Amino acid sequence: MNNDVQRWKDKYLASLEQQEVLERRWDARVDLLRRGLVRSSLAAEGADKAVDQCMQDLREILRRDDMDAGLAGLIPRLEKAVLDSEQRRQQRVAQVSSALVALVDQLLELDLPREVRRPLKDYAKQLDSRAEQVRELPLLLAELSTLQQQALAVLGHEQVERPSLLQRLFAGRAVTASDLPAASEFVPVPASLSVAQQMPLQSALMPSTVASLPAPVSARPVVEPTLVAASQAEPSAVHAPASTLLASRLDSLPLPAGLLPPAAQAQETGPADKPPEADPEFALPSPPEPGYSAIASHVEATLLGLLDELALPERHQDQADLLRERILAGLNLYELVPVLEDLAVLMLAIADVGQREFEGYLKQLNERLATFQGGLQDAHDGYADSVNAARELDSELRQQVDGLHSSVQQATDLPSLKELVENRLDGLLGTMEQYQRQRDEREQLVAGRLQTLVERVANMEQEAKGFRQHLEEQRQKALLDPLTGLPNRAAWNERLDLELARWQRYGGELLMAVIDIDHFKRINDEYGHLAGDKVLKIIAGELHKRLRKTDFIARFGGEEFALLIPANPLAGGLQLLETLRAGIEACPFHFRGERVTITLSAGISAFVSGERSEQVFERADQALYRAKRGGRNCVEAG
């Protein structure tokens, strides 16, 4: 008894010690979390006032011992503040992007040489995608400043070489190169601003130039009489915008065709040849808009449509109604995850209903099989009864014949013998009639049972055939990749075992290749996951239609494909992979009318006697890595 007490006491003390260790560990973790949240809140400040206030409140709550209630009240307010801040950030990014686009458009409207116009066009094409990222804005401004300096340097050089054009523009006096601002000091101002808004902006952008501007036209002496006459003849030209004057002066000058504006070049050279229309089958879809707010309505509509189409059991209908109300009330990014989890519960409930229906069918099938077995047992019992009835008839007939024989021997006169024989014969006939009647009844009963069994067997065979067909269809679906339609990893393993057994039995050649799409992550990042999915579908179709019927290709995972090539030497396999590589490279992928080149790399290896399939795959995979390191878009043998 004392040993038991001591043992329980030691166990209790050990549990207390373990509990203290766990409490110290959890205290240390809570302290680390507090410090991490405080540092994160300090790092997040400066982006939005509402978020800054929430970060300050968060630090105050973390300093208290009881922070559960404070965090429970702060988290919803922080979620709303973060979502509002994200919307305002997207609006600011859109405004900055619009302003940059307006500046680039103004520069493109100028008559610039090709070597200056081409970088501007490239910059304009990248502007929409890069402006969405805040970290790219300083680089965009720096690049725009450099391009603007190049453009204005070209324009300034042309203005120095052709002073008469500037004199016509200003229509007041001869303008020299010293009056022009330096190209690095000049920044174009958007034309959408009013004059009152342009002046302070101009003075802020180039103060030295504004300070050194010459006096107004009315206060300056006239240098060239011809220009004075021109200004008097066209008084409206003095007050016209500079862009209009520039366009009118450029139209009046005999410029070379390379320096004409685009519209003038079109008039001089005629309509340009239209580029060939891109194949819509190879067009990459536009990437989705960033941020949850841009797709919130679509997500909510999709979830509601899915809820409406679900065939839910009655006991889950209330849960579905509550989930529908939550979706109709509007979801943010943080509420989307629990809603999807609840929807997953409903989907599992439907799967459970299907499982129960299948169990019910199996139970019904067991009952029908039991009934079928009972019918067979009844038929067997009927047959046994017939056999027993035949035996009884035989026994009774023997007894009656024996009685007749004894009566004949014991008869003393003819009349009594005649009466005795007739009685015995009547008994025999009655017995035979009764047996025949009972036999007919049993045969009818057995025939009905057999007919029922035949019908049941036919129905069960038909149902079994339908189930076998359905199971085979489900099996085939389970072996296909739902995105590309190619066989999946499970189908690959099954076919690999079959081809390996065939090769080991009959010999010959068997090759294994591993194919990977180059820079597939960049496709997803630049064009969106929808574009990546379409690329996988198209490439899978292109690879499949270029293979023989005996070849087998499967999607091994992600952007990687595996290929089995039987009855083909290594040189033929390399030639086949090179054909596949060239075919994919020639696919006319395009995004918004622009050509997108997509390539693949591949590694191939041959099966060697005594090797396992894993070893062959490892060699082909290493060959693929060599192709990747060798510059991609090539094939290597291992």
Side-chain angles (χ1 to χ4, degrees):
M1 186 65 181
N2 293 331
N3 293 334
D4 292 340
V5 173
Q6 185 63 33
R7 188 177 75 253
W8 283 107
K9 182 178 179 180
D10 294 341
K11 184 180 293 186
Y12 174 72
L13 293 177
S15 299
L16 285 179
E17 185 177 357
Q18 185 179 4
Q19 184 67 26
E20 291 177 356
V21 172
L22 291 175
E23 288 180 357
R24 288 195 297 270
R25 186 179 301 171
W26 280 109
D27 291 339
R29 290 178 179 177
V30 171
D31 184 61
L32 286 176
L33 287 175
R34 284 180 172 176
R35 291 167 59 188
L37 287 174
V38 170
R39 301 298 189 276
S40 301
S41 65
L42 292 174
E45 283 189 350
D48 189 85
K49 291 183 179 180
V51 177
D52 293 346
Q53 183 63 40
C54 291
M55 293 294 103
Q56 185 177 356
D57 296 341
L58 177 62
R59 290 193 294 272
E60 293 294 333
I61 293 172
L62 292 175
R63 294 189 183 98
R64 301 197 296 263
D65 293 335
D66 184 15
M67 55 181 179
D68 295 340
L71 288 177
L74 176 64
I75 294 302
R77 185 159 57 92
L78 179 59
E79 291 177 355
K80 186 176 184 305
V82 169
L83 290 176
D84 295 341
S85 175
E86 176 65 19
Q87 292 178 357
R88 288 192 291 269
R89 187 191 69 82
Q90 292 180 0
Q91 292 175 359
R92 290 195 298 271
V93 169
Q95 293 174 357
V96 172
S97 177
S98 300
L100 293 177
V101 169
L103 291 175
V104 173
D105 291 341
Q106 290 181 7
L107 290 176
L108 290 175
E109 289 177 358
L110 300 177
D111 186 17
L112 298 174
R114 180 177 300 175
E115 60 273 10
V116 179
R117 180 175 291 275
R118 184 178 297 276
L120 277 173
K121 289 184 177 180
D122 295 338
Y123 179 85
K125 292 177 181 177
Q126 302 174 2
L127 191 57
D128 291 337
S129 58
R130 293 180 60 188
E132 295 175 355
Q133 304 177 6
V134 179
R135 63 178 180 273
E136 292 286 334
L137 290 179
L139 297 176
L140 288 173
L141 293 174
E143 293 177 10
L144 179 60
S145 176
T146 303
L147 296 173
Q148 183 178 258
Q149 290 179 6
Q150 296 175 0
L152 296 177
V154 172
L155 291 177
H157 180 68
E158 292 182 357
Q159 290 169 354
V160 172
E161 290 181 350
R162 294 184 293 176
S164 59
L165 174 61
L166 295 177
Q167 291 169 358
R168 294 178 183 176
L169 288 176
F170 291 98
R173 67 178 183 89
V175 181
T176 61
S178 60
D179 293 331
L180 295 173
S184 60
E185 297 177 351
F186 186 89
V187 180
V189 180
S192 59
L193 300 179
S194 62
V195 177
Q197 293 172 334
Q198 291 179 11
M199 289 305 295
L201 183 59
Q202 289 177 347
S203 60
L205 292 175
M206 47 177 187
S208 60
T209 306
V210 174
S212 61
L213 283 177
V217 178
S218 59
R220 287 186 242 126
V222 178
V223 178
E224 290 188 22
T226 58
L227 294 181
V228 174
S231 64
Q232 292 175 355
E234 300 176 358
S236 60
V238 179
H239 303 285
S243 59
T244 305
L245 292 172
L246 179 60
S248 62
R249 301 304 180 183
L250 287 176
D251 291 340
S252 63
L253 291 177
L255 297 177
L259 297 180
L260 288 175
Q265 292 182 17
Q267 294 176 359
E268 291 290 336
T269 60
D273 295 334
K274 294 184 179 180
E277 295 184 359
D279 190 351
E281 182 182 356
F282 292 86
L284 303 185
S286 300
E289 293 294 333
Y292 175 74
S293 59
I295 62 172
S297 59
H298 179 69
V299 171
E300 294 171 2
T302 302
L303 293 178
L304 290 174
L306 182 58
L307 272 178
D308 293 337
E309 294 181 2
L310 288 180
L312 293 173
E314 187 65 28
R315 62 181 180 275
H316 293 286
Q317 196 61 43
D318 295 337
Q319 185 179 358
D321 294 338
L322 291 175
L323 185 59
R324 185 178 289 103
E325 292 177 0
R326 291 169 59 187
I327 297 174
L328 291 174
L331 299 176
N332 55 38
L333 186 59
Y334 302 96
E335 295 174 346
L336 181 61
V337 175
V339 167
L340 291 178
E341 291 177 352
D342 294 343
L343 185 60
V345 171
L346 292 179
M347 299 292 289
L348 291 176
I350 296 178
D352 184 58
V353 170
Q355 181 70 19
R356 292 184 180 179
E357 290 179 354
F358 185 67
E359 292 176 356
Y361 169 75
L362 291 180
K363 184 178 180 181
Q364 183 183 4
L365 182 61
N366 289 333
E367 294 175 354
R368 296 175 68 178
L369 289 175
T371 305
F372 180 73
Q373 186 177 3
L376 290 177
Q377 185 65 36
D378 293 340
H380 180 269
D381 294 341
Y383 174 75
D385 293 340
S386 299
V387 173
N388 293 331
R391 289 176 180 175
E392 292 176 357
L393 175 64
D394 181 68
S395 177
E396 188 174 354
L397 289 176
R398 287 180 182 275
Q399 291 177 1
Q400 291 183 5
V401 170
D402 291 340
L404 178 61
H405 185 268
S406 299
S407 299
V408 169
Q409 290 180 353
Q410 295 176 2
T412 58
D413 53 0
L414 185 59
S416 61
L417 177 61
K418 183 179 179 181
E419 182 181 1
L420 183 62
V421 170
E422 289 178 355
N423 291 333
R424 293 292 182 179
L425 289 176
D426 291 338
L428 287 174
L429 291 175
T431 302
M432 290 299 295
E433 290 176 358
Q434 183 181 2
Y435 172 75
Q436 185 66 30
R437 185 170 58 254
Q438 292 177 353
R439 189 183 67 176
D440 292 341
E441 292 177 355
R442 285 194 298 268
E443 287 180 353
Q444 291 178 1
L445 181 61
V446 170
R449 291 175 178 175
L450 290 177
Q451 183 63 28
T452 303
L453 289 177
V454 169
E455 293 176 356
R456 289 179 179 176
V457 168
N459 292 333
M460 293 178 67
E461 288 181 351
Q462 189 67 25
E463 291 181 359
K465 181 178 179 182
F467 275 105
R468 283 196 299 269
Q469 183 178 359
H470 180 68
L471 289 175
E472 182 61 25
E473 291 176 357
Q474 295 300 322
R475 178 181 174 275
Q476 293 299 329
K477 289 181 180 179
L479 296 177
L480 290 180
D481 177 58
L483 177 62
T484 61
L486 293 180
N488 57 13
R489 186 78 170 266
W492 165 262
N493 294 331
E494 183 177 320
R495 183 63 176 267
L496 179 61
D497 294 340
L498 177 63
E499 292 292 344
L500 185 59
R502 184 180 301 167
W503 172 72
Q504 290 173 350
R505 182 175 181 179
Y506 299 105
E509 301 287 345
L510 181 61
L511 307 177
M512 179 188 294
V514 183
I515 303 171
D516 188 83
I517 302 176
D518 298 329
H519 300 297
F520 187 73
K521 184 178 182 299
R522 186 178 65 186
I523 297 173
N524 284 332
D525 294 340
E526 293 185 2
Y527 306 109
H529 290 279
L530 293 178
D533 291 345
K534 186 168 185 180
V535 167
L536 285 175
K537 290 180 183 178
I538 295 176
I539 288 181
E542 293 293 323
L543 293 176
H544 186 266
K545 73 181 183 181
R546 285 177 168 82
L547 297 176
R548 303 174 302 174
K549 292 184 178 180
T550 56
D551 300 333
F552 182 80
I553 187 170
R555 186 185 179 190
F556 202 73
E559 67 274 16
E560 196 172 44
F561 301 88
L563 178 62
L564 281 175
I565 311 173
N568 203 350
L570 185 59
L574 286 171
Q575 184 178 0
L576 174 62
L577 288 181
E578 185 63 27
T579 302
L580 298 179
R581 184 202 63 77
I584 297 303
E585 185 181 13
C587 286
F589 290 104
H590 57 88
F591 180 75
R592 294 179 179 175
E594 295 186 7
R595 180 79 160 82
V596 178
T597 301
I598 298 177
T599 60
L600 55 81
S601 303
I604 189 172
S605 180
F607 279 78
V608 180
S609 178
E611 281 188 332
R612 301 190 310 274
S613 57
E614 292 82 1
Q615 296 172 317
V616 182
F617 184 86
E618 181 65 24
R619 287 206 311 272
D621 200 37
Q622 292 298 326
L624 172 64
Y625 283 130
R626 288 198 301 273
K628 292 285 188 181
R629 291 193 296 268
R632 294 180 171 83
N633 194 22
C634 59
V635 179
E636 291 287 340

